[in-house]
Each structure stands twice: as structure tokens, then as C-alpha cells.
């Protein structure tokens, strides 16, 4: 996965589309506006402004959209779900046609009026998706469908096998032997969940204050061992590549570039558990290109897209038809085994998210 710079040009919430176009200047100067994600005014040009994680807007996905779906993707990236929500609330609904939310943010975004439902009849490739990802409550709100996942997986542990040997548990993340060579994600929902699973707390995203305090104590004790709390995926990838870090809580997409660089990189869902997620293309509220967004969402559910995605990113397709196109060794290597889903703790937005943010800030400030 290649990190790309993010262009974030957001309009004030009270500016009209016409006013925004005027502010951006004449068409001949429109390059800046397009980089920032200004929605195209005419649906027939088949351009979609795509606000997404960097993985899904990288060059191979832009090229695939053009070649196989006839769509031009103009990409702008976010690095966290909170950033996505904040920027949509701050005027992004006027700029973007579609996003790729994690399942735990769908209800929040729908309730806030930030996303648009889709017609299931326009997503025929949904029939190719594993039953575990069809018709889930995560993707429906008040009886309306907001997406069908094209990808799923877990945030878990990447390690340098030469330095750590094989890893099966979270032990290396807390082992003084690796002091200064451990990376954790700077994101409260991920890192507090790691602490909760390490302590054997059964429902990490439903923790009360007493459990949060226990997790805080654990993570503060870990802090002297941590080299970096990473926010940018490129940072953790580079630290693992350079040997600055030998074990990290991160995304699966870090593995392919490390192996291409000749590093014996391992990946494991530790026995304590991993943080599960799935993602889908979702229309942004008010898009004038809903039909094209549905067309692209349906394309991402195809066997061909899923195969390409798996081979280029090593993320697991939600499409069973895509998995059927992969070699058995690759399926095993990607951890594509729906029977293992029970080992995942799927992300939820904590009931008291503000308190989670406070606890995480207290860990980092300790």
C-alpha cells in the first residue's frame, strides 16, 4: 500500500456550490479544486470524487475503475474514521461523492445525515459476497442499505521474524526485550481494545470506568517500551522496513511491501484476539452521482475486483467468487477463513467515546 499526500480543501458550511465554484476560479485554474475533491457538476462525465483510505485510492484502483468500470476517480484521503466524520461535517458533503467507512461508523454517519442509502437492486454482485457480510445490521439504518462490504480483515500484529521468531500472542508488544522497537497505533479504539484483550476483558468496546482504568494502567506500563504511536501508515511501514521497529500493531497491508523488500515479515491474529473490520463503498449525502456510485460499489463486489485487490494489497475480499479465483496457498496466507471470524472483536463505537479519548490522551501524556 502506497501512502499518498492528502489534499484537504474544505468549504465553509454556509457556502453554496455556486459560491464554491466561483471561489475556486475559472475552469482553467481548476486543478487545485479537483485535487481537493470538488464534486463534478455533471454526472455524464463519469467522474467521482472519492474520499477514502489511501489503500483504495492508490493508482491501481484508479486505473481499474477507468478500465473496467469506465469511471474516473478523483481521490482525497483520510487517515482515521474520526477525520472522515469531521471533514464530512465540516463541508465535505458538498465535495465528495463516496466514502469507504468502517462498519462501526455507518449508523453514526447515517444518523448525522452524512451518507445516502443505496438501492439493493443496483448491487447484483452482492450475491457473490460471503453470507457473513450480507444484510448485516452494521450496514443498514432505519431499514435502508448503506453498503455491502467488499473487504474484511483485522488489525493485528506484524513482526520481523528474524528478530522475534514466530509470534502467537501479544507478549512481544509488552516484552522489555523489545524496548524501543515496538509500535502501537495512535487511535484509542484500536489501542484500548488491545489493552482490553490483553487483560481478557470479554467485551472491549463496552468497558466501564473500572475496566478502562485497568487498561490505562496496562498501557502506561507499556509506554516506556514503545518507540512510536503511529498515525500515518507509511510511518509504521518505514519503521518496520528499516528495523527501527520489530513488532507493531498495524494493518495487514504492511506485509506485502516488507516481503518485497526482502524482510521476513510475519503476521498474526494473536491468541488474545484481533480487532475486526469490514468496509464498503457508501454514497455521500447529496451526491448528484448516486447511480455512478452504486455502479462503482457493485464493481467492488465483483470477482475480478476482489482478485485484483487481494493480489495487490493482500487484504481479504468479501466476495466468495473472488476468493475462488485465488490459489489455496494465497487464501491460507491471507487468513481467508470465515470460520476464524469468531476470533475477531469487531470494532464498535464505544458508548462513551469522549471518555475513551480522554483515557487514551492520559496514556500518552503519562
Amino acid at each position: 500500500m502506497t501512502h499518498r499526500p492528502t489534499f484537504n480543501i474544505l468549504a465553509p458550511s454556509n457556502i453554496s456550490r455556486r459560491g464554491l465554484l466561483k471561489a475556486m476560479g475559472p475552469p482553467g485554474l481548476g486543478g487545485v479544486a479537483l485535487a481537493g475533491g470538488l464534486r463534478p457538476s455533471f454526472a455524464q462525465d463519469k467522474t467521482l470524487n472519492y474520499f477514502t483510505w489511501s489503500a483504495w485510492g492508490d493508482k491501481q484502483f484508479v486505473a481499474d475503475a477507468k478500465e473496467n468500470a469506465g469511471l474516473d476517480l478523483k481521490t482525497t484521503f483520510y487517515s482515521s474514521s474520526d477525520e472522515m466524520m469531521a471533514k464530512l461535517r465540516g463541508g465535505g458533503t458538498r465535495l465528495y461523492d463516496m466514502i469507504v467507512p468502517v462498519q462501526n461508523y455507518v449508523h453514526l454517519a447515517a444518523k448525522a445525515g452524512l451518507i445516502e442509502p443505496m438501492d439493493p437492486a443496483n448491487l447484483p454482485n452482492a450475491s457473490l459476497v460471503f453470507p457473513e457480510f450480507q444484510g448485516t445490521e452494521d450496514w443498514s439504518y432505519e431499514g435502508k442499505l448503506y453498503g455491502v462490504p467488499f473487504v474484511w480483515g483485522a488489525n493485528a500484529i506484524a513482526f520481523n521474524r528474524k528478530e522475534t521468531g514466530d509470534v502467537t500472542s501479544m507478549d512481544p508488544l509488552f516484552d522489555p526485550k523489545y524496548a524501543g522497537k515496538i509500535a502501537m497505533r495512535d487511535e484509542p479504539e484500536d489501542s484500548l481494545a488491545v489493552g482490553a484483550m490483553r487483560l481478557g476483558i470479554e467485551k472491549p468496546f463496552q468497558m466501564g470506568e473500572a475496566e478502562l482504568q485497568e487498561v490505562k494502567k496496562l498501557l502506561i506500563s507499556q509506554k516506556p517500551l514503545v518507540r512510536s504511536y503511529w498515525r500515518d501508515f507509511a510511518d509504521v511501514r518505514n519503521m518496520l522496513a528499516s528495523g527501527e521497529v520489530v513488532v507493531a500493531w498495524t494493518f495487514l497491508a504492511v506485509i506485502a511491501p516488507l516481503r518485497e523488500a526482502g524482510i521476513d515479515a510475519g503476521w498474526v491474529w494473536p491468541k488474545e484476539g484481533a480487532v475486526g473490520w469490514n468496509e464498503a463503498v457508501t454514497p455521500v449525502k447529496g451526491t448528484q452521482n448516486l447511480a455512478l456510485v452504486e455502479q462503482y460499489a457493485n464493481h467492488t463486489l465483483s470477482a475480478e475486483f476482489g482478485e485484483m485487490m487481494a493480489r495487490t494489497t493482500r487484504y481479504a475480499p468479501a466476495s466468495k467468487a473472488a476468493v475462488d479465483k485465488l490459489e489455496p496457498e494465497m487464501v491460507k496466507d491471507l487468513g481467508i477463513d470465515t470460520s476464524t471470524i469468531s476470533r475477531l472483536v469487531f470494532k464498535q463505537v464505544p458508548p462513551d467515546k469522549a471518555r475513551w479519548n480522554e483515557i487514551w490522551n492520559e496514556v500518552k501524556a503519562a
Side-chain angles (χ1 to χ4, degrees), residues 158-224:
F159 57 94
N160 184 325
R161 189 176 280 104
K162 181 181 177 183
E163 300 294 332
T164 65
D166 282 326
V167 170
T168 58
S169 74
M170 291 182 180
D171 288 352
L173 291 177
F174 297 87
D175 191 337
K177 182 166 64 175
Y178 303 115
K181 294 188 174 183
I182 296 169
M184 294 288 289
R185 189 181 181 195
D186 185 5
E187 203 261 6
E189 289 165 32
D190 246 39
S191 290
L192 267 63
V194 170
M197 289 186 287
R198 175 70 172 174
L199 293 172
I201 294 172
E202 190 173 344
K203 295 182 178 179
F205 294 105
Q206 301 294 324
M207 286 190 288
E209 183 63 26
E211 291 171 318
L212 284 171
Q213 290 299 327
E214 289 302 310
V215 168
K216 183 175 79 171
K217 188 186 303 181
L218 172 67
L219 295 179
I220 288 176
S221 71
Q222 182 204 32
K223 187 180 175 186

Side-chain angles (χ1 to χ4, degrees), residues 12 54 62 75 87 90 109 170 209 218 231 248 250 266 276 298 304:
S54 58
V62 174
T75 57
K87 289 183 175 175
M170 291 182 180
E209 183 63 26
L218 172 67
R231 294 185 66 83
T250 183
N298 188 56
E304 292 74 20

Side-chain angles (χ1 to χ4, degrees), residues 271-346:
K271 63 183 181 183
E272 296 91 338
V275 177
W277 53 267
N278 53 79
E279 296 174 352
V281 171
T282 300
V284 169
K285 187 72 174 181
T287 176
Q288 300 300 301
N289 295 314
L290 180 59
L292 295 182
V293 174
E294 291 175 330
Q295 178 185 331
Y296 188 66
N298 188 56
H299 173 65
T300 65
L301 301 175
S302 67
E304 292 74 20
F305 179 94
E307 180 188 14
M308 180 274 293
M309 180 195 71
R311 295 190 187 283
T312 56
T313 70
R314 304 187 70 79
Y315 280 123
S319 166
K320 183 179 183 306
V323 173
D324 289 343
K325 295 171 77 69
L326 304 175
E327 300 79 9
E329 295 78 12
M330 187 174 188
V331 172
K332 182 179 179 182
D333 197 37
L334 293 174
I336 302 173
D337 181 356
T338 52
S339 68
T340 63
I341 288 179
S342 62
R343 294 179 58 201
L344 302 182
V345 178
F346 276 89

Side-chain angles (χ1 to χ4, degrees), residues 226-304:
V226 176
R227 172 74 176 187
S228 174
Y229 295 108
W230 64 271
R231 294 185 66 83
D232 189 323
F233 175 75
D235 290 342
V236 68
R237 181 191 60 203
N238 292 339
M239 286 188 290
L240 284 162
S242 68
E244 186 178 353
V245 159
V246 299
V247 59
W249 188 265
T250 183
F251 306 152
L252 175 60
V254 75
I255 296 300
L258 291 177
R259 290 180 179 172
E260 288 171 5
I263 297 169
D264 186 7
W267 175 259
V268 66
W269 295 2
K271 63 183 181 183
E272 296 91 338
V275 177
W277 53 267
N278 53 79
E279 296 174 352
V281 171
T282 300
V284 169
K285 187 72 174 181
T287 176
Q288 300 300 301
N289 295 314
L290 180 59
L292 295 182
V293 174
E294 291 175 330
Q295 178 185 331
Y296 188 66
N298 188 56
H299 173 65
T300 65
L301 301 175
S302 67
E304 292 74 20

